Amino acid sequence: MGKVPPPPLPLRMNSSIEQSPLQRIALVTLHAGYHHSSLALRSIAAFCRDEPYFDGLSIHEGLVKSSNEALFAELVEAQPRLVGFSTYLWNIQPVLRLARNLKQLVPDVQIVLGGPEAGPRGEELLANEASIDFVIDGEGEPGFRDLARWCLYGDGARERVSGLVWRDDCAGIHRNALQMLDPSQWVSPYSCGLGALDKHLVYWETSRGCPYRCTFCTSSTDRLRTASLAQVDADLAVFARLENKTIKLLDRSFHLGAEHTLQLLERFLATPDTLRFHLELNPDRVSDQALALFAQAPSGKFQFEIGLQTLSGPVLERIERVMDVPRGLARIRQLVALHKHPVHLDLIVGLPDEDAESCRQSLDAVFLLCADHLQLGILKLLPGTPLRAQAERFGYRWDAEPPYEILCHAHLSHAELMRFKHYAELLERLWNSGLARNTLAWMVGRHFDEQVSKLFDHLLTGAAQPLATDRVQPDHAFGLLAAALADLLAADPVAAQLLLWDYAHHSLVTGRTPDWIAQRLRAAEQLFRTFGNRRMPVLELGPEAVQVINRRRQQPLAAGRYAVWAQRDRKGRPAEVLAVDAA
């Protein structure tokens, strides 16, 4: 069960109960997690702020993994005339269930779906879902505004509502042309007081569309448009009053022209240090000037998400993705070497005509970049994308239900795809979690020919397979890892040092600690720390072990002895390291 969703957002002080039932409008979505909020719904509300129905408009947000009974009861009690649902891969099924049930209890309500999941599927949804009256494709602001005018007051013409998919009286289904908004028409919910600022993540956009044409992406046909610097400044003035927030830009690519990009970065740097900015970068497009700004920024000011997808030149050409691979990899190494801002890298398995060996080569090369997070995802054939239309040409078989993951293609079998799914689980549990990063980095470089896929194959063919297939607790994960690497640990003192170091950061010795680790930590010298009354194990680190550890440390260690106060014992705060004696 998820947390109870917050109450609907009243967009004006006067209560919707006082409104005429014909003027009540609800905007609704379901999130994957409690820390999310909907920029899309608030942008629609801001765009409609001067409409006569605005006072009757409310926003309702729930969770996908919740029953949402309270949210449903709110909608039924309000008896809205029009309800708009924002839909995505992760929420379309529960949204359809809500819509069906709402139509039973409020039969006169008009229900419209929008968002990237509904728009391209408009005809299919209207043909198969009687509870859905309309679908809006593309930008929701003008389409929803004009549809509300037509539904509530008979104002305008249904045939001219931007992106509207609708049925006529003879059950024919029609799709209206899209009318793209000029950036001068965008209305930011933040600068007009309607933005969601109560969550850790604050979603924001400085552009729409994308300069690239990657065939697997829903933005491949959406031309790039950028907000004015005046609008950016107005929003940043609101954000400057916040503390300890991450501003997550929804821009598909944070490359809006060299001069404009630098102007934005300089503005971000001028905000309070406790504000962080999450950016999606194309690494080969990061200029020397931008890199210099990242270097001068306070630690953690930026978070970088970089979608490499593949390193294969022919595959990149096939998906119409433009990237200078050598330059991109060099830039990532520089970003990681700053030791200041988290770097998240993405790879996709299952791109057209890419076989298992090519996917392994990309994974092995990208792992050596030592980024903070490496996500290995399976290709999804999203509705409305060019690649979905080309699926038969490349021999794709895929799940017809969201999230539309592929099952195989002409050059990649289902068994090979499952092997990469297991790789992805091992990455999540051992690397991305931080659980055994130093151990993995050393093992891959020293014992597995700099190929993380070889290490993973070793784990998957032995008793450690549950690491990729079962739900295992961290202590059990360390035990499986120690058992699978027992021969190497016995012969390699550096590997042993690093595995003990990784575990000591996770936990003090308890009854759940694996025997191999517990014996060595109990035998180590103990440093008593008066504050907290803890005995901390003292670990020996040689020069080679320190070299591995320092790849991820802002303040490098020297070879020597260190006591570690574990993260688990510090209630989630980072582990503390105390030098006992160091060279």
Side-chain angles (χ1 to χ4, degrees), residues 540-561:
E540 182 81 28
L541 295 178
E544 290 176 299
V546 161
Q547 186 177 9
V548 174
I549 292 167
N550 285 343
R551 294 177 189 172
R552 278 162 292 281
R553 287 185 65 88
Q554 281 186 267
Q555 299 178 341
L557 302 178
R561 298 190 307 148

Side-chain angles (χ1 to χ4, degrees), residues 32-55:
Y34 185 74
H35 57 286
H36 298 300
S37 59
S38 177
L39 178 62
L41 294 185
R42 286 168 174 82
S43 295
I44 290 173
F47 196 79
C48 297
R49 69 199 184 286
D50 296 327
E51 295 296 314
Y53 52 75
F54 179 73
D55 285 342

Side-chain angles (χ1 to χ4, degrees), residues 17 21 39 58 131 200 202 229 262 296 305 324 389 404-405 407 462 488 491 498 501 563:
I17 300 298
L39 178 62
S58 60
S131 60
H200 169 70
V202 176
L229 289 176
L262 291 175
Q296 82 176 61
E305 185 172 346
D324 182 334
Y404 312 111
E405 272 194 0
L407 304 173
L488 296 175
L498 291 170
W501 180 261

Side-chain angles (χ1 to χ4, degrees), residues 464-496:
Q465 184 173 355
L467 283 170
T469 58
D470 300 345
R471 296 175 64 88
V472 297
Q473 295 301 313
D475 287 288
H476 186 34
F478 274 107
L480 292 171
L481 193 61
L485 302 175
D487 292 343
L488 296 175
L489 291 169
D492 184 350
V494 177

Side-chain angles (χ1 to χ4, degrees), residues 19 31 41 57 61 77 106 169 178 189 209 281 284 311 343 350 353 400 407 447 454 459 524 552 562:
Q19 301 298 318
H31 298 300
L41 294 185
L57 194 153
E61 299 177 271
E77 182 180 3
V106 191
D169 294 337
L178 285 172
L281 300 181
D284 56 319
L311 302 186
V343 178
D353 286 349
L407 304 173
H447 298 289
K454 278 191 175 182
L459 297 177
R552 278 162 292 281
Y562 295 88

Side-chain angles (χ1 to χ4, degrees), residues 5-321:
L9 173 69
L11 295 176
R12 292 263 178 115
M13 294 300 294
N14 45 320
S15 169
S16 61
I17 300 298
E18 301 170 1
Q19 301 298 318
S20 162
L22 294 178
Q23 292 183 328
R24 290 183 192 153
I25 298 176
L27 297 175
V28 186
T29 197
L30 302 178
H31 298 300
Y34 185 74
H35 57 286
H36 298 300
S37 59
S38 177
L39 178 62
L41 294 185
R42 286 168 174 82
S43 295
I44 290 173
F47 196 79
C48 297
R49 69 199 184 286
D50 296 327
E51 295 296 314
Y53 52 75
F54 179 73
D55 285 342
L57 194 153
S58 60
I59 290 176
H60 304 252
E61 299 177 271
L63 299 175
V64 168
K65 295 183 179 179
S66 173
S67 67
N68 289 301
E69 289 181 351
L71 184 151
F72 180 68
E74 290 168 0
L75 294 175
V76 173
E77 182 180 3
Q79 294 288 299
R81 178 68 180 86
L82 180 63
V83 174
F85 286 98
S86 183
T87 65
Y88 300 87
L89 284 172
W90 59 84
N91 73 6
I92 183 64
Q93 297 303 334
V95 160
L96 290 174
R97 180 186 176 203
L98 268 177
R100 293 175 195 131
N101 291 339
L102 185 61
K103 201 77 165 185
Q104 291 186 72
L105 298 187
V106 191
D108 292 334
V109 67
Q110 298 284 289
I111 294 178
V112 54
L113 267 55
E117 175 62 21
R121 296 177 54 194
E123 289 84 355
E124 170 201 342
L125 288 167
L126 290 185
N128 298 324
E129 295 289 339
S131 60
I132 308 304
D133 298 289
F134 306 100
V135 172
I136 293 177
D137 193 14
E139 293 171 305
E141 294 104 324
F144 191 86
R145 178 198 62 188
D146 295 344
L147 178 63
R149 288 174 175 174
W150 183 80
C151 287
L152 299 181
Y153 311 117
D155 185 21
R158 182 176 52 181
E159 295 80 3
R160 290 198 294 272
V161 175
S162 176
L164 188 68
V165 186
W166 52 281
R167 302 184 193 92
D168 62 21
D169 294 337
C170 299
I173 297 176
H174 309 271
R175 178 181 287 265
N176 295 349
L178 285 172
Q179 300 167 11
M180 306 298 286
L181 286 175
D182 185 84
S184 63
Q185 298 174 289
W186 297 350
V187 181
S188 169
Y190 298 109
S191 53
C192 60
L194 300 178
L197 301 172
D198 58 326
K199 302 294 177 66
H200 169 70
L201 285 177
V202 176
Y203 292 97
W204 189 40
E205 61 182 4
T206 70
S207 69
R208 295 183 183 180
C210 186
Y212 301 99
R213 293 293 174 264
C214 307
T215 59
F216 59 82
C217 180
T218 54
S219 291
S220 59
T221 59
D222 189 0
R223 65 180 176 85
L224 178 66
R225 292 158 294 153
T226 60
S228 68
L229 289 176
Q231 180 63 70
V232 168
D233 289 338
D235 286 347
L236 287 175
V238 175
F239 300 154
R241 301 193 293 268
L242 306 176
E243 293 185 358
N244 296 314
K245 302 286 187 182
T246 296
I247 312 299
K248 184 169 184 177
L249 272 73
L250 300 182
D251 300 32
R252 286 294 192 176
S253 173
F254 189 71
H255 297 288
L256 315 174
E259 181 179 356
H260 190 73
T261 296
L262 291 175
Q263 289 174 328
L264 291 181
L265 290 176
E266 288 166 351
R267 283 164 163 78
F268 299 166
L269 279 173
T271 62
D273 288 350
T274 61
L275 280 186
R276 296 167 292 277
F277 291 84
H278 182 108
L279 311 177
E280 291 197 24
L281 300 181
N282 288 74
D284 56 319
R285 297 290 298 275
V286 175
S287 66
D288 291 339
Q289 296 89 339
L291 188 66
L293 289 176
F294 295 145
Q296 82 176 61
S299 294
K301 184 68 176 179
F302 295 103
Q303 299 173 358
F304 304 127
E305 185 172 346
I306 298 173
L308 289 169
Q309 320 313 359
T310 180
L311 302 186
S312 168
V315 177
L316 288 169
E317 290 182 14
R318 208 166 289 128
I319 60 174
E320 300 181 32
R321 182 174 183 82

